[in-house]
Amino acid sequence: MAPRAEHVDKGTLKNGPAKGEATMRAIAQNVYGSAEVLHLTQIPRPVPAEHEVLVRVRAAGLDRGVWHLTRGLPYLARLAFGLRKPKNPIPGMDLAGTVVAVGPAVTRFAVGDEVFGSGRGSFAEYAVARADQLAIKPANLTFEQAAAVPVSAVTALQGLRDAGRLEPGQKVLVIGASGGVGSFAVQLAKAFGAQVTGVASTAKLDAVRSLGADHVIDYAREDFADGASQYDLILDIGGNPSLARLRRALNPAGTAVITGGEEGGNLTGGMNRQLRAMLLSPFVGQRLTMFIGKVGSADLEELSGLIEAGKVVPRIDRTFPLAEVPDALRYLEAGKVCGKVAITM
């Protein structure tokens, strides 16, 4: 039996698969570092466990989480990633592809189903995923579009619906509206009946408008916290405004939901600001909260309905072949991405 992908260690990656094993191409990293630590290799195909599905990956999504895993930052996250090197040397979570095998306890999917969702090590020709983190691919999406959805769209959905408690008619501010999560958040907030303002850079304002935003703010020229407008809900995705600025932009009973954030030091990263928000919230009239998104079948199916109804459309900035994942990560690091980047097999 071929070893499971998450158990492939540095030695296996270096020495290659045993003779006669079914193999696949994959991007791997044996140490933390910049894009240069990512390399194309040949490794054994993973085998699905009891509640898992083996997917022939047609496309994978690249998001900021891959950057964090590659770098091993913030250091606090290494408690989950692996202290000295990644526990799973194959990066990638978002995937879309075709089911080629199922575990003995899986009844929701069959060989040949086209699926999308979150798996382990999706920057490979094959990846395993838990059945409860997959759904049937929306019929009107390409594999590349479907691979852009899971982590980013579910994060946007849970941030607005669950953490933000969004209601129709509310005024919503999305900070980081042109990114992976933000591009879905703008569309979802509109689909839920909100009035949406998106914050982005000058070059990306037209793209945010095209997503359906009612208003846009150029963060290089305007201050969303200047008092001209106040919002019922702020979804701060990877932004870095102080809590004081967020509160100035909120109405007295408004909610600020913080997810992500790249400043705050290598030890805790954006978590520092999020934790301070949680500590402050009980003492003020506004809700200041955080959350960590988790991909599940129910949310993927809800998103599928919105996608098939034409209310949400994944925005693909660029696609890169598997061998060029390091270049794709550099493109992401440069801040050029508007929407999502897809990796094709």
Side-chain angles (χ1 to χ4, degrees), residues 15-333:
N15 298 326
K19 186 176 180 179
E21 284 185 302
T23 65
M24 65 179 185
R25 295 184 310 141
I27 292 292
Q29 66 173 110
N30 300 324
V31 296
Y32 293 120
S34 63
E36 282 69 28
V37 306
L38 300 172
H39 59 279
L40 188 65
T41 188
Q42 195 84 11
I43 63 172
R45 289 184 194 174
V47 174
E50 185 177 9
H51 297 277
E52 292 179 337
V53 171
L54 178 64
V55 178
R56 182 181 184 275
V57 180
R58 297 286 300 275
L62 173 65
D63 58 31
R64 198 71 187 180
V66 174
W67 180 89
H68 284 287
L69 176 59
T70 304
R71 292 279 186 173
L73 296 174
Y75 293 129
L76 186 63
R78 294 193 185 191
L79 295 174
F81 295 165
L83 290 176
R84 297 184 179 276
K85 63 180 182 179
K87 290 179 182 178
N88 179 10
I90 313 302
M93 293 180 290
D94 284 338
L95 60 80
T98 306
V99 174
V100 294
V102 299
V106 175
T107 58
R108 294 180 60 241
F109 302 104
V111 172
D113 285 345
E114 294 184 349
V115 297
F116 75 125
S118 180
R120 292 189 303 278
S122 64
F123 290 175
E125 293 176 314
Y126 295 84
V128 289
R130 283 173 38 184
D132 61 2
Q133 293 185 317
L134 293 174
I136 297 297
K137 181 181 76 69
N140 59 336
L141 293 190
T142 66
F143 284 106
E144 291 81 7
Q145 289 175 310
V149 173
V151 171
S152 294
V154 167
T155 299
L157 176 64
Q158 293 175 355
L160 294 168
R161 183 195 63 196
D162 303 335
R165 304 173 189 172
L166 177 62
E167 297 179 3
Q170 288 187 324
K171 293 176 63 177
V172 176
L173 181 73
V174 179
I175 302 175
S178 64
V181 177
S183 62
F184 285 109
V186 170
Q187 296 180 76
L188 286 167
K190 288 296 296 179
F192 295 153
Q195 181 186 127
V196 182
T197 299
V199 180
S201 64
T202 308
K204 299 176 181 179
L205 295 181
D206 285 343
V208 175
R209 289 190 187 95
S210 73
L211 295 169
D214 299 287
H215 310 283
V216 295
I217 293 176
D218 182 347
Y219 67 70
R221 301 178 182 179
E222 304 171 74
D223 182 6
F224 68 83
D226 62 5
S229 295
Q230 288 189 313
Y231 302 91
D232 302 298
L233 171 61
I234 297 176
L235 183 61
D236 182 13
I237 308 153
N240 299 293
S242 67
L243 296 182
R245 289 185 66 216
L246 288 177
R247 292 189 61 208
R248 282 200 301 272
L250 276 178
N251 71 36
T255 295
V257 178
I258 304 172
T259 180
E262 305 306 327
E263 294 182 5
N266 287 339
L267 179 60
T268 60
M271 290 297 296
N272 181 45
R273 188 172 59 117
Q274 295 176 22
L275 292 173
R276 284 190 288 109
M278 296 287 286
L279 291 172
L280 177 62
S281 187
F283 303 101
V284 297
Q286 299 153 324
R287 282 183 66 238
L288 309 175
T289 189
M290 59 169 281
F291 79 105
I292 298 173
K294 183 179 180 182
V295 175
S297 296
D299 285 338
L300 290 172
E301 289 166 358
E302 181 174 346
L303 289 164
S304 290
L306 292 165
I307 289 167
E308 291 180 336
K311 295 181 179 180
V312 174
V313 179
R315 180 186 173 89
I316 302 296
D317 182 295
R318 281 186 62 180
T319 61
F320 291 80
L322 181 63
E324 295 179 12
V325 164
D327 291 333
L329 189 59
R330 293 184 192 99
Y331 184 67
L332 179 72
E333 288 176 323

